[in-house]
Amino acid sequence: MTMECPTPRHEDELVLLGHGAGGRLTEELLDAVVLPALEGQNGPLEDAALLPGHPDLVVSTDSFVVSPLFFPGGDIGSLAVHGTINDLAMRGAWPLALSVALIVEEGLPLSELRSVLASLGKSARNAEVPVITGDTKVVGRGAVDKVFINTTGIGQRRSMLHPSAALARPGDAILLSGPIGLHGTTVLSTREGLGFESEIASDSRPLHRLVRALAPLGEHIHTLRDPTRGGLAASLNEIARDSSVAVEIDEIALPVPDAVASACDLLGLDPLIVANEGCLIAFVSPSTADEALATMRTLPEGRGAVRIGEVLPQGPSGRVTLRTLVGARRVVDMPLGEQLPRIC
């Protein structure tokens, strides 16, 4: 009689919330399911893609399912505009136009839908980016949670600023435009009624003007990324992997607001993995770091910019480490999945 060692069976594999969280589970879903079906390209998966045949045009698409719809510092409408604009900006593109598609649950009060759309329209006008097309679908009760928004943005690159997740280089300075953890902890606190929402607000805002200010530095700006899902940890790991470099950041330099630190301590969260919606990471030539930092600080969205680390001249490719407050070093892993679902 032949004995066989049982092996795991996968017929009952299911999609998990963590598959949409921007961490390792998302990577597995893309690699195993999404990209093979679409004959996806090799190379880094950027925040936005160059339009084939038109290298000066950039396109990005995103969906927003945040719960609750309204939170201190923003709502799903403004978040949809800001998030799409920022993805274009991370490729060095100025946003030209947006499309907006709504999936609305039957029974949603029209007053809530009006508020969401008023905020979306105001945010687009303030950013000087027109909404030129869209779509609306209504589904049965329970098929979605109130309203989901899908957006697509088109942008144009008009300078020598051509950042990519694959262009970080040894010696680069790593700059962060503002404090981390505000968006994720605000949304979670509002959703769960934890009380921190009286002390903090989401950092949701457009970053295209900040990127435009950096444009004169051109080729010295190697990589830009907005650390949304998966937070700073996920973004740094993606850049380290795609650029095949070793990254090190300094814990003492990280701008973590006191209220964020308190919320993370209470909930057992690491601020490095909490989502942000209004700050960016820039990998820049060391000779240009001071000028880039000074430039960022001239604008409201970059007033709190700091230098948080560097790309090591040598080290394990794809690894991110943190110099702790006591001088030790620890590895910052890619998050498995988002501990805070429905954040964006």
Side-chain angles (χ1 to χ4, degrees):
M1 182 175 64
T2 302
M3 302 292 292
E4 293 184 0
C5 180
T7 57
R9 303 180 68 87
H10 299 287
E11 289 87 352
D12 58 349
E13 288 182 329
L14 301 173
V15 174
L16 306 173
L17 275 175
H19 280 121
R24 279 183 286 161
L25 286 177
T26 299
E27 291 180 351
E28 291 175 8
L29 185 68
L30 292 173
D31 292 340
V33 179
V34 178
L35 296 179
L38 302 177
E39 299 181 354
Q41 64 180 13
N42 294 323
L45 298 178
E46 306 276 8
D47 285 335
L50 304 183
L51 200 62
H54 301 274
D56 60 325
L57 294 179
V58 176
V59 62
S60 180
T61 192
D62 209 340
S63 297
F64 298 85
V65 299
V66 64
S67 175
L69 298 182
F70 304 93
F71 45 85
D75 55 75
I76 193 171
S78 60
L79 185 65
V81 171
H82 297 163
T84 310
I85 287 173
N86 292 348
D87 282 347
L88 295 171
M90 296 309 107
R91 295 305 307 276
W94 184 258
L96 299 178
L98 301 174
S99 76
V100 173
L102 306 175
I103 303 176
V104 185
E105 181 186 18
E106 178 190 18
L108 177 72
L110 281 174
S111 60
E112 290 191 35
L113 185 58
R114 288 191 182 100
S115 294
V116 167
L117 291 174
S119 177
L120 190 153
K122 179 181 179 181
S123 299
R125 289 190 295 274
N126 288 344
E128 302 178 87
V129 185
V131 177
I132 61 170
T133 190
D135 183 50
T136 301
K137 295 291 189 298
V138 178
V139 296
R141 295 175 187 266
V144 300
D145 186 0
K146 297 184 177 180
V147 60
F148 294 165
I149 300 177
N150 175 267
T151 55
T152 296
I154 301 292
Q156 185 172 26
R157 301 196 295 183
R158 294 173 173 162
S159 70
M160 293 299 294
L161 187 62
H162 297 157
S164 168
L167 293 181
R169 303 170 187 171
D172 277 357
I174 305 173
L175 311 181
L176 178 65
S177 67
I180 60 173
L182 287 168
H183 178 73
T185 50
T186 298
V187 172
L188 180 65
S189 183
T190 305
R191 182 191 304 163
E192 305 298 337
L194 301 179
F196 290 103
E197 64 269 23
S198 63
E199 305 174 49
I200 54 178
S202 170
D203 62 342
S204 178
R205 56 188 165 189
L207 298 171
H208 57 310
R209 297 184 179 98
L210 184 61
V211 172
R212 182 170 63 179
L214 292 171
L217 299 180
E219 61 184 13
H220 293 286
I221 307 296
H222 299 153
T223 302
L224 296 173
R225 207 65 176 255
D226 58 332
T228 53
R229 294 179 302 168
L232 192 63
S235 293
L236 291 175
N237 271 279
E238 289 168 352
I239 294 167
R241 176 199 64 205
D242 293 338
S243 295
S244 299
V245 295
V247 168
E248 187 163 274
I249 57 174
D250 193 342
E251 185 176 17
I252 199 171
L254 293 176
V256 181
D258 290 341
V260 170
S262 298
C264 289
D265 285 344
L266 177 66
L267 299 168
L269 299 173
D270 184 346
L272 289 175
I273 69 168
V274 177
N276 313 276
E277 290 291 347
C279 64
L280 63 80
I281 313 162
F283 283 62
V284 307
S285 299
S287 61
T288 315
D290 290 342
E291 183 179 357
L293 203 56
T295 298
M296 294 166 73
R297 289 171 177 168
T298 63
L299 296 177
E301 52 268 50
R303 191 161 292 141
V306 292
R307 181 171 178 163
I308 62 168
E310 60 278 328
V311 178
L312 299 177
Q314 58 185 2
S317 175
R319 176 174 291 181
V320 179
T321 55
L322 174 76
R323 292 192 298 269
T324 69
L325 297 176
V326 296
R329 285 175 169 80
R330 71 171 176 90
V331 174
V332 178
D333 288 321
M334 171 70 82
L336 176 63
E338 180 61 82
Q339 293 178 298
L340 310 177
R342 303 284 305 278
I343 292 296
C344 59

